[in-house]
């Protein structure tokens, strides 16, 4: 629709006037208040419009003005931070999904293997599930369009659409190998921000809640989950609030989330921007869910933005023990500005500060290196602040947990098995042979299951380079470049032979990691995302530490006190 409109404008006499007006919206956003700055804007807009006109008139091949101008806008915004983005009319649906968790579609993800497209996850109670789609089904056509060679983005466009509309899929069943046509009516797919909540701990007296994103209404969802758990177990001992891999979302939801554990009128976060109207204090508005219950918050390096507001505020107020790894460090606030023709500008308007006064922004976008790259805020600029009881916390580097747990690196073997879809493919075989399994948190892969998996792998190619082999290849390349290789060739060759890894031995060395991932994939076929989360907690170090702390009140309190 936008492209058609721009093409019509191109033919119209006032096209370039439209370009100037559109471009001016962007450039004036960053303009200084001084008159000389406005002159610079006007001058460069004139140059930009003239350049576009010359290209449109004289360039050897036809051009698409809309596409060309979008490229220019994106390049301009690339000089700012990565969160300031131009959202076209075509991208609105994706943006709204990020803020609401809703979209029109069939409720299934897709996987690409070689040139073929397969069904990945099927969401519980979705149109895809009701139509009988299974993970592992080969998707041959969508609406009579062959899919071989298509990208996942191409497939997504074909599957999404207004609720109530229909899409036809030609699929080959993963279990029966039968090919059939399926007519699926699209629905409003809402991915809950709280995919799992349950009672955990030795006595099932601790509430666990997983939050994946701060979408509209998520604080209410968390409260409903906690109410339900408290009704089932009136004597709750504590709460584990899992914000790992949560990229953030709506600021007001972060404030409401903090309000569950702190009382009305408490400062949660402050924002400070270029203009005074953007300077604002956000305080809790309602009564708390529970002001006394012990709380632990799980974070990792992918916990960002609103996740950091919640974890940082609870840390500053000594209201919860933060566990895991240092968070991402996004201390910037974005607002959405309308641009006309259903386009939007998402731009950074302010920095936010937790109750202690710290800004946790880790990357300094205001000072770029000569090559355009950016770096972390240097240690010399990081300041110390105090929590409510006097504990020291620092700015400029994300939220540093009260209990830091080392993150184990993923082995290259496991990466190879995952990226080549071998864990996914074997799970399809396993499910075909096992119509049912025990509950998600009680399921285990047996020794016999693991042996069957390794035997199935024998004819598969899962070759990969170890870090040691990478280092040796680098040494060899350096020796050749510096002309030392001939003298050291015998030793390097002997070392290469000695280090040649035995794939079978590597499977055994990484048995635990492989087993856990295989269990998780298998459980997801029977119990969907909620089952995947429940099962993953069995081998979760951060979760285990949270339970340990909550079950020992003295230890819990010690983390919230100033160390003497």
């Amino acid at each position: 629709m936008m492209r058609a409109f721009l093409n019509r404008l191109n033919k119209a006499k006032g096209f370039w006037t439209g370009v100037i007006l559109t471009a001016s919206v962007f450039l004036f956003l960053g303009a200084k208040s001084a008159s000389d700055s406005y002159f610079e804007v006007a001058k460069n807009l004139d140059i930009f419009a003239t350049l576009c006109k010359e290209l449109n008139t004289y360039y050897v091949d036809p051009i698409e003005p809309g596409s060309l101008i979008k490229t220019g806008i994106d390049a301009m915004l690339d000089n700012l931070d990565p969160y300031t983005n131009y959202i076209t009319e075509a991208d609105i649906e994706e943006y709204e999904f990020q803020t609401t968790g809703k979209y029109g579609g069939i409720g299934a993800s897709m996987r690409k293997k070689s040139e073929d497209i397969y069904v990945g996850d099927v969401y519980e109670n979705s149109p895809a599930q009701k139509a009988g789609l299974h993970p592992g089904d080969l998707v041959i056509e969508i609406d009579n369009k062959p899919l071989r060679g298509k990208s996942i983005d191409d497939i997504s466009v074909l599957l999404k659409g207004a609720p109530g509309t229909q899409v036809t899929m030609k699929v080959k069943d993963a279990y029966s190998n039968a090919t059939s046509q399926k007519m699926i009516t699209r629905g409003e797919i809402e991915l809950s921000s709280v995919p799992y909540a349950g009672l955990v701990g030795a006595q099932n007296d601790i509430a666990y809640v997983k939050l994946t994103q701060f979408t509209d209404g998520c604080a209410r969802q968390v409260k409903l989950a906690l109410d339900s758990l408290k009704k089932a177990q009136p004597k709750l001992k504590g709460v584990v609030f899992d914000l790992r891999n949560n990229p953030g979302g709506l600021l007001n939801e972060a404030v409401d989330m903090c309000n569950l554990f702190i009382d009305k009128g408490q400062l949660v976060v402050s924002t400070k921007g270029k203009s005074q109207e953007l300077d604002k204090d956000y305080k809790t508005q309602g009564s708390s869910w529970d002001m006394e219950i012990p709380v632990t918050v799980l974070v990792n390096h992918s916990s960002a933005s609103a996740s950091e507001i919640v974890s940082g505020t609870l840390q500053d107020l000594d209201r919860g023990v933060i566990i895991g790894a240092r968070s991402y460090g996004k201390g910037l606030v974005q607002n959405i500005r309308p641009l006309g023709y259903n386009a939007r500008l998402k731009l950074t308007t302010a920095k936010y500060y937790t109750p202690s006064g710290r800004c946790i922004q880790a990357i300094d976008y205001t000072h770029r290196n000569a090559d355009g790259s950016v770096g972390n805020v240097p240690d010399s600029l990081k300041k110390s602040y105090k929590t409510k009881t006097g504990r020291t916390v620092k700015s400029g580097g994300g939220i540093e947990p009260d209990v830091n747990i080392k993150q184990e690196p993923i082995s290259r073997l496991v990466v190879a098995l995952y990226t080549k879809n071998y864990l996914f493919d074997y799970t399809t075989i396993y499910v075909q042979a096992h119509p049912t399994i025990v509950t998600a948190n009680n399921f285990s892969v047996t020794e016999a299951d693991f042996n069957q998996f390794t035997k199935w792998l024998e004819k598969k190619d899962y070759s990969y380079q170890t870090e040691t082999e990478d280092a040796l290849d680098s040494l060899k390349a350096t020796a050749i470049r510096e002309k030392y290789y001939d003298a050291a060739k015998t030793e390097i060759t002997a070392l290469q032979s000695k280090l040649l890894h035995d794939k079978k031995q590597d499977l055994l060395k990484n048995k635990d990691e492989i087993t856990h991932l295989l269990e998780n994939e298998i459980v997801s076929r029977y119990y969907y995302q909620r089952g995947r989360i429940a099962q993953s907690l069995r081998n979760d170090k951060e979760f285990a530490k949270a339970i340990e702390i909550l079950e020992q009140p003295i230890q819990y309190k010690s983390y919230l006190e100033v160390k003497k």
Side-chain angles (χ1 to χ4, degrees):
M1 182 177 175
M2 175 66 87
R3 181 175 295 174
F5 177 75
L6 285 173
N7 287 336
R8 290 197 300 272
L9 280 179
N10 186 24
K11 297 175 183 177
K13 189 174 179 180
F15 170 68
W16 296 112
T17 302
V19 170
I20 293 171
L21 290 174
T22 303
S24 67
V25 175
F26 295 104
L27 292 174
F28 271 102
L29 284 169
K32 298 176 182 178
S33 57
S35 59
D36 60 339
S37 179
Y38 284 116
F39 171 73
E40 282 297 309
V41 172
K43 180 182 78 173
N44 284 284
L45 279 173
D46 188 35
I47 293 170
F48 178 77
T50 303
L51 184 149
C52 289
K53 184 177 179 180
E54 294 297 314
L55 284 174
N56 190 62
T57 305
Y58 297 112
Y59 186 69
V60 63
D61 295 319
I63 64 171
E64 292 187 19
S67 176
L68 201 64
I69 292 170
K70 183 182 184 303
T71 300
I73 292 169
D74 289 342
M76 176 174 66
L77 299 181
D78 279 345
N79 287 318
L80 306 177
D81 62 68
Y83 315 111
T84 297
N85 309 125
Y86 172 45
I87 305 169
T88 66
E89 183 179 37
D91 296 330
I92 287 297
E93 186 176 357
E94 181 62 28
Y95 161 72
E96 290 179 347
F97 169 63
Q98 292 172 6
T99 56
T100 65
K102 300 176 183 178
Y103 71 95
I106 67 167
S109 64
M110 297 290 140
R111 282 179 177 242
K112 187 169 184 177
K113 292 191 287 181
S114 186
E115 295 298 302
D116 291 322
I117 300 295
Y118 291 81
V119 177
D121 286 331
V122 174
Y123 307 147
E124 193 169 9
N125 298 319
S126 66
Q129 185 207 26
K130 293 171 184 175
L133 286 184
H134 314 115
D137 287 351
L138 171 65
V139 185
I140 302 168
E141 294 177 355
I142 296 178
D143 288 338
N144 300 315
K145 296 180 179 70
L147 301 188
R148 187 170 174 79
K150 298 279 188 183
S151 70
I152 294 297
D153 287 343
D154 293 335
I155 308 306
S156 179
V157 170
L158 293 173
L159 290 176
K160 287 181 179 178
T165 59
Q166 292 186 319
V167 59
T168 302
M169 300 178 66
K170 184 178 181 181
V171 299
K172 183 178 180 181
D173 191 278
Y175 305 130
S176 68
N177 287 324
T179 300
S180 64
Q181 290 277 127
K182 294 183 182 293
M183 180 76 75
I184 304 175
T185 301
R186 296 182 180 94
E188 183 177 79
I189 308 302
E190 181 172 4
L191 300 184
S192 174
S193 292
V194 186
Y196 180 75
L199 292 170
V200 296
Q203 304 299 321
N204 282 332
D205 54 1
I206 294 172
Y208 170 87
V209 179
K210 173 73 174 178
L211 184 73
T212 57
Q213 199 165 350
F214 284 80
T215 54
D216 189 28
C218 67
R220 181 178 54 82
Q221 291 182 46
V222 170
K223 183 180 184 301
L224 289 173
L226 289 171
D227 284 341
S228 178
L229 295 174
K230 198 168 190 176
K231 184 176 180 181
Q233 173 53 275
K235 296 182 179 180
L236 280 181
K237 190 180 289 184
V239 174
V240 180
F241 193 30
D242 194 345
L243 295 178
R244 289 173 297 181
N245 303 312
N246 185 320
L250 301 176
L251 186 147
N252 65 297
E253 290 294 339
V255 176
D256 291 345
M257 203 71 70
C258 291
N259 201 174
L260 295 174
F261 306 110
I262 57 179
D263 207 1
K264 182 178 181 179
Q266 173 63 54
L267 176 66
V268 171
V269 63
S270 302
T271 60
K272 296 179 183 178
K274 181 187 291 185
S275 62
Q276 197 170 11
E277 67 184 55
L278 296 170
D279 296 349
K280 187 175 180 181
D281 290 341
Y282 292 84
K283 297 182 179 181
T284 51
Q285 300 296 312
S287 300
S288 69
W289 177 75
D290 192 320
M291 282 182 60
E292 304 297 330
I293 192 168
V295 178
T296 55
V297 183
L298 305 182
V299 297
N300 63 9
H301 190 58
S302 296
S303 303
S305 191
S307 294
E308 295 173 295
I309 291 175
V310 172
S311 53
T313 297
L314 296 182
Q315 186 178 56
D316 281 2
L317 300 177
D318 303 297
R319 184 61 190 88
V321 176
I322 314 303
I323 300 170
R326 181 179 61 82
S327 66
Y328 185 81
K330 180 178 179 290
L332 305 174
V333 179
Q334 285 73 48
N335 281 337
I336 302 298
R337 308 289 296 181
L339 299 175
Y341 307 109
N342 211 23
R344 318 275 174 86
L345 175 66
K346 179 166 74 77
L347 78 160
T348 299
T349 56
K351 292 181 179 180
Y352 70 75
Y353 299 81
T354 62
S356 66
R358 59 177 165 156
C359 178
I360 53 83
Q361 177 64 27
I363 300 176
D364 184 6
Y365 294 106
T366 60
H367 298 92
R368 290 183 177 269
N369 301 319
D371 62 358
S373 63
V374 293
N376 288 344
V377 174
D379 290 340
S380 60
L381 295 180
K382 294 179 181 178
K383 296 180 180 179
S384 294
Y385 296 84
K386 297 294 183 180
T387 69
K388 190 174 181 179
T389 61
R391 294 185 298 144
T392 299
V393 290
K394 289 195 172 184
S395 66
I399 303 299
E400 189 64 38
D402 303 307
V403 182
N404 208 314
I405 296 180
K406 183 180 178 182
Q407 304 294 294
E408 297 295 333
I410 300 174
S411 72
R412 294 195 179 191
L413 167 61
V414 168
V415 172
L417 294 176
Y418 181 83
T419 56
K420 292 177 183 289
N421 289 295
Y422 292 145
L423 295 167
F424 181 84
D425 289 345
Y426 183 76
T427 296
T428 301
I429 296 171
Y430 182 94
V431 171
Q432 188 172 14
H434 299 80
T436 60
I437 60 171
V438 297
T439 56
N441 51 357
N442 289 315
F443 175 76
S444 296
V445 166
T446 65
E447 189 75 21
D449 293 332
F450 182 79
N451 291 337
Q452 284 181 339
F453 175 61
T454 56
K455 187 175 181 180
W456 177 80
L457 277 176
E458 286 177 0
K459 295 181 180 179
K460 308 293 181 184
D461 173 24
Y462 55 96
S463 57
Y464 62 98
Q465 284 273 104
T466 65
E467 288 186 51
T468 306
E469 287 172 324
D470 282 347
L472 192 55
D473 285 347
S474 178
L475 173 65
K476 180 179 175 180
T478 302
I480 291 172
R481 188 177 68 250
E482 297 184 346
K483 300 181 180 179
Y484 291 121
Y485 180 67
D486 289 342
K489 182 177 180 179
T490 302
E491 290 82 357
I492 291 176
T493 302
L495 190 55
Q496 282 179 317
S497 298
K498 190 172 184 179
L499 292 176
L500 190 65
H501 61 274
D502 184 329
K503 292 197 295 184
K504 221 167 205 180
Q505 285 302 312
D506 284 356
L507 284 170
L508 295 176
K509 280 192 290 186
N510 294 281
K511 180 180 177 181
D512 287 346
E513 191 176 4
I514 294 168
T515 297
H516 296 159
L517 289 173
L518 198 55
E519 287 171 346
N520 201 248
E521 190 64 48
I522 290 171
V523 161
S524 73
R525 302 292 180 93
Y526 299 89
Y527 299 107
Y528 306 94
Q529 188 182 17
R530 58 186 170 84
R532 193 189 286 274
I533 296 170
Q535 192 280 329
S536 69
L537 297 178
R538 294 181 56 196
N539 308 296
D540 189 325
K541 291 182 180 179
E542 291 94 342
F543 171 75
K545 187 65 178 178
I547 297 299
E548 175 195 317
I549 291 172
L550 289 172
E551 289 181 339
Q552 300 181 48
I554 295 176
Q555 184 183 11
Y556 174 81
K557 289 181 181 178
S558 71
Y559 284 110
L560 302 176
E561 297 171 348
V562 179
K563 299 294 186 290
K564 296 179 180 179

